[in-house]
Amino acid sequence: MSYPDIALGLILLGLSAYLLFGGADFGAGLWHLVSRRRADQKVIEHAMGPLWEANHVWLIFVMVMTWTAFPPVFADIMSEHWIPLSLAALGIVARGSAFVFAKDAPAAVYSWTFGISSVLTPYCMGAVAAVIATSGSSWLSVAGLYGGLLTTGLCAYLAAVYLIWDARRLGEDGPATRFRAYALVTGVAVGLLALPGALTLDVLSPLTVISAVAGVVSLGLLAARRYLAVRVTAGLAAATVLWGAAGLADLDLDAAAAHDSALRVVFFALGVGALILVPSMTWLFILFQRSPKEQTTAAG
């Protein structure tokens, strides 16, 4: 395996982490906009809590890896798709600001800003990803529209699946029931969108089949109320969509990659950073997944 192959694998791992964690945060914002019940919104706000900002570290990781390991690819993507990527960046800033301001100054404008930017951001990112994967021309093309809708749907689905467990952990049976209904409806909708779209755009691959199987299993687990296991299968269904799309991209890695000496420095720096980042993120996640009683005990 060459250095460019390793670099690409790391970028895909970072994108997968951003989809599974950051994507779920965007989906939570969508449900915060759709569900006007205060009980549901409280569960969403508690679930996002300290992790919503930290999840963007995976996006930063992907950007840094791409511009250092594949500078021509990064330059082409940024110059050709600067409008949707700028909208996505503005969405991230507006979303985060509205979430913080709403804590101290509850106002409808913050809630709407948070919800709309939570939809706009994954849509723009998904549109760009689909155009790159299919060698399309514009994020406003059919491929871009399909990628944007599919990515937004995947984020909403992941969020609903994750929020079921969070609501049950907080003892909120009503929101848990509603998030289960959202997950079932969204899962069916994403499946109906994904498979016909894959056939139309000729993006079929073995990973597409794995994603479809994992999606069906997830619906079965939701119906059987296996809320912890469905987190795994739902994540697999979403991640394999990303990996399948990446496999379609026509990239000449060796021609676009930085020199091996530069990549060795990148890998060394990445290893040092991982020694700090991975344990920190893992510990943060473990702390936040504890029940409120366990958190109070730990704090005391």
Side-chain angles (χ1 to χ4, degrees):
M1 181 178 292
S2 66
Y3 285 162
D5 290 334
I6 296 173
L8 179 62
L10 291 171
I11 290 172
L12 286 177
L13 284 176
L15 280 173
S16 301
Y18 192 56
L19 173 62
L20 296 180
F21 300 112
D25 273 357
F26 291 126
L30 183 150
W31 293 124
H32 195 279
L33 176 67
V34 171
S35 179
R36 307 312 297 173
R37 290 183 174 87
R38 188 56 195 149
D40 295 0
Q41 293 179 341
K42 282 185 176 179
V43 171
I44 291 169
E45 291 164 7
H46 184 274
M48 292 180 62
L51 288 174
W52 67 273
E53 186 75 294
N55 284 325
H56 291 307
V57 74
W58 301 114
L59 177 61
I60 296 170
F61 168 79
V62 169
M63 292 181 65
V64 172
M65 278 297 298
T66 306
W67 85 51
T68 52
F70 304 104
V73 173
F74 183 84
D76 288 344
I77 292 174
M78 290 297 166
S79 59
E80 293 178 10
H81 305 290
W82 66 272
I83 293 178
L85 293 177
S86 296
L87 289 174
L90 287 173
I92 291 173
V93 174
R95 180 175 181 274
S97 301
F99 186 76
V100 172
F101 291 153
K103 293 290 186 183
D104 292 325
V109 64
Y110 296 135
S111 178
W112 281 98
T113 301
F114 174 66
I116 292 173
S117 57
S118 295
V119 176
L120 174 68
T121 304
Y123 178 86
C124 290
M125 290 182 176
V128 172
V131 170
I132 295 172
T134 60
S135 301
S137 58
S138 169
W139 69 296
L140 298 176
S141 63
V142 175
L145 175 65
Y146 171 70
L149 291 176
L150 182 61
T151 303
T152 306
L154 284 172
C155 293
Y157 173 61
L158 286 173
V161 169
Y162 295 171
L163 286 169
I164 299 171
W165 183 265
D166 289 320
R168 287 170 56 84
R169 186 164 50 86
L170 296 173
E172 297 285 353
D173 293 335
T177 301
R178 286 188 287 274
F179 288 132
R180 176 174 176 266
Y182 296 157
L184 285 168
V185 171
T186 312
V188 172
V190 170
L192 293 175
L193 175 66
L195 291 181
L199 289 170
T200 304
L201 297 174
D202 193 23
V203 293
L204 289 174
S205 74
L207 289 170
T208 306
V209 177
I210 294 175
S211 178
V213 172
V216 172
V217 172
S218 298
L219 291 176
L221 290 172
L222 281 171
R225 302 179 188 275
R226 303 293 184 182
Y227 300 130
L228 195 56
V230 73
R231 284 185 157 200
V232 177
T233 55
L236 178 63
T240 44
V241 171
L242 171 66
W243 301 338
L248 296 171
D250 185 19
L251 298 177
D252 186 350
L253 292 182
D254 293 330
H259 193 274
D260 281 357
S261 58
L263 291 177
R264 280 195 290 270
V265 174
V266 171
F267 294 153
F268 175 77
L270 179 63
V272 174
L275 292 176
I276 301 172
L277 174 64
V278 174
S280 300
M281 292 291 288
T282 303
W283 182 237
L284 182 62
F285 185 77
I286 291 173
L287 284 177
F288 197 60
Q289 286 300 305
R290 290 178 173 176
S291 66
K293 182 179 179 180
E294 290 174 327
Q295 292 178 16
T296 303
T297 302

